Amino acid sequence: MIAMIKPDTDPAQLHSLTGWLQNLGLKTYLTQEAGHTILGIVGNTDAVDMTMLTGLSMVESVRRVSEPFKLCSRGFQPADTAISVGDGEVKVGGGHFCLIAGPCSVETHEQIIAVAKAVKSAGAQILRGGAFKPRTSPYEFQGLGALGIEMLLEAKRETGLPIITEAMNPAQLPLFEQVDMIQIGARNMQNYDLLKEVGRLKKPILLKRGLCATMKEWLMSAEYIMSGGNEAVILCERGIRTYETYTRNTLDLSAVPMLKQLSHLPIVVDPSHATGQSHLVGPMALAATACGADGLMIEVHNDPPHALCDGAQSLTPEEFYHVAEKIRQVRAVVTMNSAVTK
Amino acid sequence: MIAMIKPDTDPAQLHSLTGWLQNLGLKTYLTQEAGHTILGIVGNTDAVDMTMLTGLSMVESVRRVSEPFKLCSRGFQPADTAISVGDGEVKVGGGHFCLIAGPCSVETHEQIIAVAKAVKSAGAQILRGGAFKPRTSPYEFQGLGALGIEMLLEAKRETGLPIITEAMNPAQLPLFEQVDMIQIGARNMQNYDLLKEVGRLKKPILLKRGLCATMKEWLMSAEYIMSGGNEAVILCERGIRTYETYTRNTLDLSAVPMLKQLSHLPIVVDPSHATGQSHLVGPMALAATACGADGLMIEVHNDPPHALCDGAQSLTPEEFYHVAEKIRQVRAVVTMNSAVTK
Amino acid sequence: MIAMIKPDTDPAQLHSLTGWLQNLGLKTYLTQEAGHTILGIVGNTDAVDMTMLTGLSMVESVRRVSEPFKLCSRGFQPADTAISVGDGEVKVGGGHFCLIAGPCSVETHEQIIAVAKAVKSAGAQILRGGAFKPRTSPYEFQGLGALGIEMLLEAKRETGLPIITEAMNPAQLPLFEQVDMIQIGARNMQNYDLLKEVGRLKKPILLKRGLCATMKEWLMSAEYIMSGGNEAVILCERGIRTYETYTRNTLDLSAVPMLKQLSHLPIVVDPSHATGQSHLVGPMALAATACGADGLMIEVHNDPPHALCDGAQSLTPEEFYHVAEKIRQVRAVVTMNSAVTK
Amino acid sequence: MIAMIKPDTDPAQLHSLTGWLQNLGLKTYLTQEAGHTILGIVGNTDAVDMTMLTGLSMVESVRRVSEPFKLCSRGFQPADTAISVGDGEVKVGGGHFCLIAGPCSVETHEQIIAVAKAVKSAGAQILRGGAFKPRTSPYEFQGLGALGIEMLLEAKRETGLPIITEAMNPAQLPLFEQVDMIQIGARNMQNYDLLKEVGRLKKPILLKRGLCATMKEWLMSAEYIMSGGNEAVILCERGIRTYETYTRNTLDLSAVPMLKQLSHLPIVVDPSHATGQSHLVGPMALAATACGADGLMIEVHNDPPHALCDGAQSLTPEEFYHVAEKIRQVRAVVTMNSAVTK
């Protein structure tokens, strides 16, 4: 850890700081440059309260030499992690590419069965569907809840596809016992009590990036889950908030190769929520595949009511079929010789 | 509600859409301009799923005429809300200015009592202190928990100051029975299950703005609490995330007069977390007062270990004493004649 | 154009507004909904000062029905534009994919010739190189200027590659007479006097997106050039500013398919400046190709001093050779059947 | 300067880097911590190309110990700068508070004279008015140009108020000979050729912050002007771009005390453009004054056509009169004892 000390700092204050750090069992080194003092701090620097240290009047800035994440870091585990889902036939990461598809919300028994069959035949390996829905407004539809999970389980029995659905609250977790993968949504990425709870489970967690989360914060949230004992974490990029208004969010695809360097965890991309427009889903799905994503999560619905929805955020089964085909072709090109995307 | 329909939309599709809307009990009006069609939708438009409607291929954009928030809106209640805290002697809003102060975290019995006495003598009316701490890293100190609340209650008994502290999880709420005001932190602003739970309580909730929340989303989260039956919501601006790195966050003070126009709820500003630097706390506290805030929440600690912390994010009791004095002077100027800040 | 009028607006004021609009030759229509009044304004609404109208106390918001850009819009010209560069053998857009490559700055005669030959043999069709360099600090190297352009022209004579380099000032333009394509950098995207000047030229302009420019503003800057008579504008996405710090900027690839819908102009992606890290250049180049970009601009240098630069923002010629190969493969997949990326 | 070297870096490569740095006349120091190597670089580090160094594959990150700005830094000149405007009676900074007011655009002879008289009688010391207007669209009114400057000069002769107006292009500067202060707009903050030109003049320059400029970039642009010989630079905060849409931009008032610490230059705040709504101008003007701004620039117009504009971005003369009165009162409180706002 390196702290920049401001010019004209009282030497007595600085001495007091180094003494305090040494009491924490750390070694300190001082260097001078251009009037500034650089304080090197070596040892178990986790013991140091960064906020406190950064806030000291004599301190200009503080920087950790090593990243604060450990279990999820590439340094801790050099090889890519492959995560088994359900009975273990489906894998994500470590060379395994995974297509997750399904409707935004579970609506009816018929809908979810029909979509499940359609996406399976197009090559999807996991079925998604929302049962508990985080909605900005308390007056909007909040999802079918437990009933929605029931319907997903029926679709699973019918098609054999493992299922993923979102949990919003530790108290809901008992309902998720037969769910194969639990999604933590963007708004709950820093709901630490929820992260701790799913960290005690033994099933894969798909952790969506918060709407304004840095990659570092996102990895720290993965670390919350992993430090609880559950190492089956899949990261899911779903767009960040910027000033741009033509697209709902800004899909940050450079996070894919960047995270590949920082972490061994699989990374999946959700182009449907990020863009909010079906005509952008196909191109961004291909782009995500091209830059090395380990999978995609795409919204598909089967029953556009009154033929209204053929252009909504969701793809129709037919559109999904064609996109999935292209995805496999792009994936084939990318993995033919992995030198470039490494 | 107004929907812009894309040029060259198939009239049959448009007819299907208007039929669907009419089935929902809504009236529709069509106008043409420059090749575009404007679809006016009148009635109880809450029934319409905005995401679905916006996503339709024929729809360019959709806009609600009235804001989606109701209970918290200025239109619903024209007069400013004054919220009573504790035994009712302290009020926030509706002309009542409130100074909340205390340490970031409750650390020891002695610390919290000493700070409580110091801030009370400087004019603070409510004591703050963190017992459950949301930390980015699972390896950082997570707060004293229940013990911290005990210590706050002792400080309350000793000084008579009502207390505020943060809840992170519905399961913790029983511990907050004697707490006078509950803080919902920035990371939990869209933890809807938590919002619903505190919406069932009968005590004031201080709702911090999420790090990348729009004012509209923030008001919608207030709406979650109020629609549960708890109308005692205080909004707290604490900085938003931007690209600027010299300050920790960007304190958005224009939110103060803007929210005064949109809502009747009191708004309090936290300059300590927003800036992260003690030398900015005083100036930003005065600025917040000058633009019409109903109160301030300021970090104060008493025991700078080894004299290290005199410039940290927290103010010393002496610094707080001087800032509080200035705040009262600025407040006096601002309220002398309220024409300007309205 | 649609203006939302605030509830409780004085009818006399509203009457005054509609009268004023009618005097501008416009037709007005009033509709009421839920206490709000909706004012439709039809006719040549370019005559209306949006800022003034939006700022009126009675007006809640204003929205144009049609986009403010015309010449660059897809509506104005449905077919993709193909732009010829140099003697016309190289084309960008309209089905023509173009690889632009070269060093960040022109440094020496030997360097630029060597890089030009290397990138040509790897398949690049246009040579890039900076002669005038916009630098954040006045103390940094500002480029070789006119001499740099001379060197580029030598490289052009030697290899036959058309050249592109950046202009920063109308006064420099006479030096660019033999340059095949002029780059307008991100910082000058709204330097309107410069845009007007290059709008008078008869050569292709590559217009980089400003660091915090919306797509709409970017298209409006293209409109500045086109309305001056020069319709050969190529858009170049090069990353936007967000709060993320692991990457230099956030490459907004969803801009590619989004702009394809809004405009007929070609769009090129610069993954080198956006990411600032060579290990991200390859993956993001493939992603840009996969989502439908009409070309790429990639930094390549040949002479890593002291073998230091093999991982810098620039690729080595060898790395570029491999990336270019992959790009062609991804491009082949994407264009095999264009249904998806439309 | 400190560079973090990645773990597992080839010692030969590192040796090559240190050799290269030593050839540039710099001293290098290596320290090891937790597998990482820290490379300290001491000497005239301006010679090092930061982009190149940061981009090296072996380098994790680079940080300058001292800030890159010099002439504008507080370290270079500890005392606040006071800048004289016009004949020297008006000063900005160094304890002198300055009120700049006037219309957005100069429209007619009568308008500018009337506004000038009105703002002077309310206490304004400098008259503003736009002659050359940067507009997002080429189809919008671009200002009266030279004629607008003529009208401003008439208003100056009539009232004695010094004038400020915006220059967009080096070629325009001869028209500004009698203008007392030149404004560089937000869009031109990094138009380096323009900055260099006004750096050769001998009159005050008001440098607006770019819409997405960091404080560091803004100070570097001030440095461009000062390094040319013109040290009379006034910084003007006018709001930055964020995701918030209720306000036009987000006024970053914490920049005021932050810049006071970093620089000796005066800082002025423009609440009119930042917020875009007249009802926010008063509160934000008071807030800016409260946190230590050296002045304000406020839009005022006199002739609301058809009584439409009483709530536009501009204040009426009467509103301005009342705001100016309050501003003086807040300023009096703030300067009574400057301990807090330092």
Side-chain angles (χ1 to χ4, degrees):
Chain A
M1 186 183 285
I2 286 179
M4 302 297 192
I5 306 300
K6 285 183 193 159
D8 308 322
T9 291
D10 178 358
Q13 272 209 326
L14 182 55
H15 186 75
S16 169
L17 173 59
T18 54
W20 178 69
L21 290 165
Q22 286 159 9
N23 281 345
L24 292 172
L26 301 163
K27 286 187 195 159
T28 58
Y29 299 91
L30 290 172
T31 330
Q32 302 283 333
E33 183 201 331
H36 289 69
T37 301
I38 304 159
L39 174 60
I41 308 168
V42 179
N44 177 20
T45 55
D46 287 343
V48 181
D49 183 329
M50 286 291 279
T51 312
M52 202 280 280
L53 191 60
T54 310
L56 296 181
S57 63
M58 78 182 86
V59 172
E60 207 171 273
S61 68
V62 182
R63 202 176 169 283
R64 285 193 189 277
V65 172
S66 46
E67 295 294 356
F69 38 90
K70 297 177 200 303
L71 302 174
C72 66
S73 79
R74 180 66 80 180
F76 184 81
Q77 181 192 309
D80 283 354
T81 283
I83 291 176
S84 294
V85 183
D87 60 8
E89 281 182 26
V90 176
K91 285 194 171 64
V92 191
H96 302 269
F97 187 86
C98 179
L99 215 44
I100 307 170
C104 182
S105 297
V106 180
E107 293 166 22
T108 65
H109 179 85
E110 291 69 28
Q111 171 233 27
I112 192 68
I113 302 283
V115 175
K117 288 180 176 170
V119 300
K120 186 181 181 183
S121 78
Q125 294 140 289
I126 301 179
L127 175 68
R128 62 147 288 155
F132 294 97
K133 302 293 299 174
R135 306 302 297 260
T136 312
S137 166
Y139 309 120
E140 287 180 292
F141 175 56
Q142 311 270 318
L144 292 180
L147 183 59
I149 294 182
E150 276 311 311
M151 291 176 179
L152 280 167
L153 291 171
E154 282 174 45
K156 178 185 175 178
R157 282 189 292 272
E158 196 91 19
T159 60
L161 288 177
I163 59 171
I164 174 173
T165 192
E166 176 169 355
M168 290 172 62
N169 185 339
Q172 291 164 352
L173 291 177
L175 296 169
F176 286 70
E177 210 166 306
Q178 292 177 270
V179 170
D180 301 287
M181 199 191 296
I182 296 178
Q183 174 176 318
I184 302 297
R187 292 179 181 85
N188 281 317
M189 194 202 83
Q190 294 192 317
N191 182 340
Y192 298 125
D193 285 52
L194 181 57
L195 298 180
K196 286 175 187 171
E197 286 297 329
V198 299
R200 293 192 189 101
L201 303 180
K202 287 289 163 232
K203 64 176 70 192
I205 308 300
L206 184 123
L207 179 66
K208 287 202 156 185
R209 182 182 188 172
L211 199 50
C212 72
T214 61
M215 295 185 216
K216 185 184 285 190
E217 288 168 341
W218 190 11
L219 288 173
M220 290 313 295
S221 288
E223 195 80 15
Y224 257 97
I225 300 170
M226 297 176 83
S227 67
N230 185 355
E231 301 195 349
V233 179
I234 296 162
L235 302 168
C236 179
E237 163 66 29
R238 44 79 70 218
I240 60 172
R241 180 162 275 175
T242 68
Y243 55 79
E244 179 57 60
T245 55
Y246 273 135
T247 47
R248 186 194 291 161
N249 297 130
T250 297
L251 190 65
D252 180 11
L253 284 184
S254 47
V256 175
M258 190 70 224
L259 287 169
K260 286 277 166 211
Q261 180 177 324
L262 295 166
S263 173
H264 55 85
L265 297 175
I267 175 154
V268 157
V269 172
D270 174 349
S272 303
H273 281 85
T275 63
Q277 298 171 49
S278 69
H279 70 98
L280 301 177
V281 171
M284 298 320 287
L286 298 186
T289 307
C291 66
D294 296 300
L296 291 163
M297 183 151 80
I298 295 179
E299 276 190 24
V300 178
H301 66 96
N302 74 320
D303 182 27
H306 313 277
L308 290 176
C309 294
D310 53 356
Q313 172 179 308
S314 297
L315 300 183
T316 60
E318 197 192 347
E319 288 168 338
F320 177 67
Y321 181 88
H322 291 296
V323 170
E325 189 64 27
K326 281 277 181 197
I327 288 168
R328 281 186 289 269
Q329 293 169 8
V330 170
R331 174 77 182 165
V333 166
V334 170
T335 52
M336 219 187 307
N337 177 339
S338 60
V340 170
T341 55
K342 272 291 169 64
Chain B
M1 188 185 283
I2 287 177
M4 302 300 193
I5 306 300
K6 285 185 192 157
D8 309 322
T9 290
D10 177 1
Q13 271 210 327
L14 182 55
H15 187 73
S16 170
L17 173 60
T18 54
W20 178 70
L21 291 165
Q22 287 158 10
N23 280 345
L24 292 173
L26 301 163
K27 287 187 192 158
T28 58
Y29 300 92
L30 290 172
T31 331
Q32 302 282 333
E33 183 200 329
H36 288 70
T37 301
I38 303 160
L39 173 60
I41 307 166
V42 179
N44 176 20
T45 55
D46 287 343
V48 181
D49 183 329
M50 286 290 279
T51 311
M52 202 279 280
L53 191 60
T54 310
L56 295 180
S57 65
M58 79 182 83
V59 172
E60 207 172 272
S61 68
V62 182
R63 199 173 172 286
R64 285 192 188 279
V65 173
S66 46
E67 295 295 355
F69 38 88
K70 297 178 199 302
L71 302 174
C72 66
S73 80
R74 179 68 78 181
F76 184 80
Q77 181 194 308
D80 283 354
T81 284
I83 291 176
S84 293
V85 183
D87 60 7
E89 281 183 24
V90 176
K91 284 193 172 66
V92 191
H96 302 271
F97 187 86
C98 178
L99 214 45
I100 306 172
C104 182
S105 299
V106 180
E107 293 167 23
T108 65
H109 179 83
E110 290 70 28
Q111 172 232 27
I112 192 68
I113 302 284
V115 175
K117 288 181 175 171
V119 300
K120 186 181 181 184
S121 77
Q125 294 140 291
I126 301 178
L127 176 67
R128 61 148 288 155
F132 294 97
K133 302 294 299 174
R135 306 303 297 261
T136 312
S137 165
Y139 308 121
E140 287 179 292
F141 175 57
Q142 311 269 320
L144 292 179
L147 182 61
I149 294 182
E150 276 310 309
M151 290 176 182
L152 280 167
L153 290 171
E154 281 174 45
K156 178 185 175 179
R157 281 190 292 272
E158 195 92 17
T159 60
L161 289 178
I163 59 171
I164 174 173
T165 192
E166 177 169 354
M168 291 172 62
N169 185 341
Q172 290 162 354
L173 290 177
L175 295 169
F176 287 70
E177 209 166 306
Q178 292 177 269
V179 170
D180 301 286
M181 199 192 295
I182 296 178
Q183 175 176 317
I184 302 297
R187 292 179 181 86
N188 281 317
M189 194 203 82
Q190 293 191 317
N191 182 341
Y192 298 125
D193 284 52
L194 181 58
L195 298 181
K196 286 175 186 170
E197 286 298 328
V198 299
R200 292 191 191 103
L201 303 180
K202 287 288 163 235
K203 62 176 69 191
I205 308 299
L206 184 124
L207 179 66
K208 286 202 157 187
R209 181 182 189 173
L211 201 49
C212 71
T214 62
M215 293 185 218
K216 186 184 285 189
E217 289 168 340
W218 189 12
L219 288 172
M220 289 313 294
S221 288
E223 196 79 14
Y224 258 96
I225 300 171
M226 296 176 83
S227 67
N230 184 355
E231 302 194 348
V233 179
I234 296 162
L235 303 167
C236 180
E237 161 66 29
R238 45 78 72 217
I240 60 173
R241 182 163 276 178
T242 68
Y243 55 79
E244 178 59 58
T245 56
Y246 274 135
T247 47
R248 186 193 290 162
N249 298 130
T250 297
L251 190 65
D252 179 11
L253 284 184
S254 47
V256 175
M258 191 69 223
L259 287 170
K260 286 276 163 209
Q261 179 177 325
L262 295 166
S263 174
H264 55 84
L265 296 176
I267 176 156
V268 156
V269 172
D270 174 350
S272 302
H273 281 85
T275 62
Q277 298 170 47
S278 70
H279 71 99
L280 301 176
V281 171
M284 299 319 288
L286 298 187
T289 307
C291 66
D294 296 301
L296 292 162
M297 183 151 80
I298 295 179
E299 275 191 24
V300 177
H301 66 94
N302 75 319
D303 183 28
H306 313 278
L308 292 176
C309 293
D310 53 356
Q313 173 177 307
S314 297
L315 299 184
T316 61
E318 198 193 347
E319 288 168 338
F320 177 67
Y321 181 88
H322 290 297
V323 171
E325 189 64 26
K326 281 275 181 199
I327 288 168
R328 282 186 289 269
Q329 292 170 9
V330 170
R331 174 76 182 165
V333 167
V334 170
T335 52
M336 221 187 305
N337 177 339
S338 61
V340 170
T341 56
K342 270 291 164 68
Chain C
M1 187 184 284
I2 286 178
M4 303 299 194
I5 306 299
K6 285 185 192 157
D8 309 322
T9 291
D10 177 1
Q13 271 209 327
L14 182 55
H15 187 75
S16 169
L17 173 61
T18 55
W20 178 70
L21 290 165
Q22 286 159 10
N23 280 345
L24 292 172
L26 302 163
K27 287 186 194 160
T28 59
Y29 299 92
L30 289 172
T31 330
Q32 301 282 332
E33 184 201 328
H36 289 70
T37 301
I38 303 160
L39 172 61
I41 307 167
V42 179
N44 177 20
T45 54
D46 287 343
V48 182
D49 182 330
M50 287 290 278
T51 311
M52 203 278 281
L53 191 59
T54 310
L56 294 181
S57 63
M58 77 182 85
V59 172
E60 207 171 274
S61 68
V62 182
R63 201 175 170 285
R64 285 191 189 279
V65 173
S66 46
E67 296 294 356
F69 38 89
K70 298 178 199 303
L71 302 175
C72 66
S73 80
R74 180 67 79 181
F76 183 80
Q77 181 194 307
D80 284 353
T81 284
I83 292 176
S84 294
V85 184
D87 59 7
E89 283 183 23
V90 176
K91 284 195 171 65
V92 191
H96 302 271
F97 187 85
C98 179
L99 214 45
I100 307 171
C104 182
S105 298
V106 180
E107 293 166 23
T108 64
H109 178 84
E110 291 70 28
Q111 171 232 27
I112 192 69
I113 302 284
V115 174
K117 289 180 174 170
V119 300
K120 186 181 182 184
S121 76
Q125 294 140 291
I126 301 179
L127 175 68
R128 61 147 288 155
F132 294 97
K133 302 293 299 174
R135 306 302 297 262
T136 313
S137 165
Y139 309 120
E140 288 180 292
F141 175 57
Q142 311 269 319
L144 292 179
L147 182 61
I149 294 182
E150 276 310 310
M151 290 177 181
L152 281 166
L153 290 171
E154 281 174 45
K156 177 185 175 180
R157 281 189 293 271
E158 195 93 16
T159 60
L161 289 177
I163 58 172
I164 175 174
T165 192
E166 177 169 355
M168 292 171 62
N169 184 341
Q172 291 163 353
L173 290 177
L175 296 169
F176 287 69
E177 210 166 305
Q178 292 177 269
V179 170
D180 301 287
M181 198 190 297
I182 296 178
Q183 174 176 317
I184 302 296
R187 293 179 181 85
N188 281 317
M189 194 203 82
Q190 293 192 317
N191 181 340
Y192 298 124
D193 285 53
L194 180 58
L195 299 179
K196 286 176 186 171
E197 286 298 329
V198 300
R200 293 193 190 102
L201 303 180
K202 288 289 164 233
K203 64 177 69 193
I205 308 300
L206 184 124
L207 179 65
K208 288 203 154 183
R209 181 181 190 174
L211 199 50
C212 72
T214 61
M215 294 185 217
K216 185 183 285 189
E217 288 168 341
W218 189 11
L219 288 172
M220 289 312 294
S221 288
E223 196 79 14
Y224 257 97
I225 300 170
M226 297 175 83
S227 66
N230 184 355
E231 302 195 349
V233 178
I234 297 162
L235 302 168
C236 180
E237 162 66 29
R238 45 78 71 217
I240 60 173
R241 181 162 275 176
T242 69
Y243 55 78
E244 178 59 59
T245 55
Y246 273 136
T247 47
R248 187 194 291 162
N249 297 130
T250 296
L251 190 66
D252 180 11
L253 285 184
S254 48
V256 175
M258 190 69 224
L259 286 169
K260 287 275 164 212
Q261 180 176 323
L262 295 166
S263 174
H264 55 83
L265 296 176
I267 175 156
V268 156
V269 173
D270 174 350
S272 302
H273 281 85
T275 62
Q277 299 170 48
S278 69
H279 70 98
L280 301 176
V281 171
M284 300 318 288
L286 299 186
T289 307
C291 66
D294 296 301
L296 291 162
M297 183 152 79
I298 296 179
E299 275 190 25
V300 178
H301 66 96
N302 74 320
D303 183 27
H306 313 277
L308 291 176
C309 293
D310 54 354
Q313 172 178 308
S314 297
L315 300 183
T316 60
E318 198 192 348
E319 288 168 338
F320 177 67
Y321 181 89
H322 291 295
V323 171
E325 190 64 27
K326 281 277 180 197
I327 289 168
R328 282 185 289 269
Q329 293 169 8
V330 170
R331 174 76 182 166
V333 167
V334 171
T335 52
M336 220 186 307
N337 176 338
S338 61
V340 170
T341 55
K342 270 292 165 64
Chain D
M1 188 185 283
I2 287 179
M4 302 300 193
I5 306 301
K6 285 183 192 158
D8 309 322
T9 291
D10 177 0
Q13 270 209 328
L14 183 56
H15 187 74
S16 170
L17 174 59
T18 55
W20 178 69
L21 290 165
Q22 286 160 10
N23 281 345
L24 292 172
L26 301 164
K27 288 187 194 160
T28 59
Y29 299 92
L30 290 172
T31 331
Q32 303 282 332
E33 183 201 329
H36 289 69
T37 301
I38 304 158
L39 173 61
I41 308 167
V42 179
N44 177 20
T45 55
D46 287 342
V48 181
D49 183 330
M50 286 291 279
T51 312
M52 202 279 281
L53 190 60
T54 309
L56 295 180
S57 63
M58 78 182 85
V59 172
E60 208 171 272
S61 69
V62 182
R63 198 173 174 286
R64 284 192 189 278
V65 173
S66 46
E67 296 293 356
F69 37 90
K70 297 179 199 302
L71 302 175
C72 66
S73 80
R74 180 66 80 181
F76 184 80
Q77 181 192 309
D80 284 354
T81 284
I83 291 176
S84 294
V85 183
D87 59 8
E89 281 183 23
V90 176
K91 285 194 170 65
V92 191
H96 302 270
F97 188 85
C98 179
L99 216 44
I100 306 172
C104 183
S105 297
V106 180
E107 293 167 22
T108 64
H109 179 84
E110 290 69 29
Q111 171 233 26
I112 193 67
I113 302 283
V115 175
K117 287 181 176 170
V119 300
K120 185 181 183 184
S121 77
Q125 294 139 291
I126 302 179
L127 175 68
R128 63 147 287 154
F132 294 96
K133 302 293 299 174
R135 306 303 296 261
T136 311
S137 165
Y139 309 120
E140 287 180 293
F141 175 57
Q142 311 269 319
L144 292 179
L147 183 60
I149 294 182
E150 275 311 310
M151 290 176 181
L152 280 166
L153 290 171
E154 281 174 45
K156 177 185 175 178
R157 280 189 293 271
E158 195 91 18
T159 60
L161 289 177
I163 59 172
I164 174 172
T165 192
E166 177 169 353
M168 291 172 63
N169 184 340
Q172 291 163 353
L173 290 177
L175 294 169
F176 287 69
E177 209 166 307
Q178 291 177 270
V179 170
D180 300 288
M181 200 190 297
I182 296 178
Q183 175 176 317
I184 302 297
R187 292 178 181 86
N188 281 317
M189 193 202 82
Q190 294 192 318
N191 181 341
Y192 298 125
D193 285 52
L194 182 56
L195 298 180
K196 286 175 186 171
E197 286 298 330
V198 300
R200 292 193 190 100
L201 303 181
K202 288 288 163 233
K203 63 176 69 188
I205 308 300
L206 185 124
L207 179 67
K208 287 202 157 186
R209 182 181 188 172
L211 201 49
C212 73
T214 62
M215 294 185 218
K216 185 185 284 190
E217 289 169 341
W218 190 11
L219 289 173
M220 289 313 293
S221 287
E223 196 79 14
Y224 257 97
I225 300 171
M226 296 175 84
S227 67
N230 185 355
E231 301 195 347
V233 178
I234 295 162
L235 303 167
C236 180
E237 162 66 29
R238 45 77 74 217
I240 59 172
R241 181 162 275 177
T242 68
Y243 55 78
E244 178 59 59
T245 55
Y246 273 136
T247 46
R248 185 194 292 163
N249 297 130
T250 297
L251 190 66
D252 179 11
L253 284 185
S254 48
V256 175
M258 190 69 222
L259 286 170
K260 287 276 165 210
Q261 179 177 324
L262 295 167
S263 173
H264 55 85
L265 296 176
I267 175 156
V268 156
V269 173
D270 175 349
S272 302
H273 281 85
T275 63
Q277 299 171 47
S278 70
H279 71 98
L280 300 177
V281 171
M284 298 320 287
L286 298 187
T289 307
C291 66
D294 296 300
L296 292 162
M297 183 151 79
I298 295 178
E299 274 191 25
V300 177
H301 66 95
N302 74 318
D303 183 29
H306 312 277
L308 291 175
C309 293
D310 54 355
Q313 172 178 306
S314 297
L315 300 183
T316 61
E318 198 192 346
E319 287 168 338
F320 177 67
Y321 181 89
H322 290 297
V323 170
E325 189 63 28
K326 280 276 181 200
I327 288 167
R328 282 185 288 270
Q329 292 169 9
V330 170
R331 174 76 182 166
V333 167
V334 170
T335 51
M336 220 188 304
N337 176 340
S338 60
V340 170
T341 55
K342 272 291 167 65

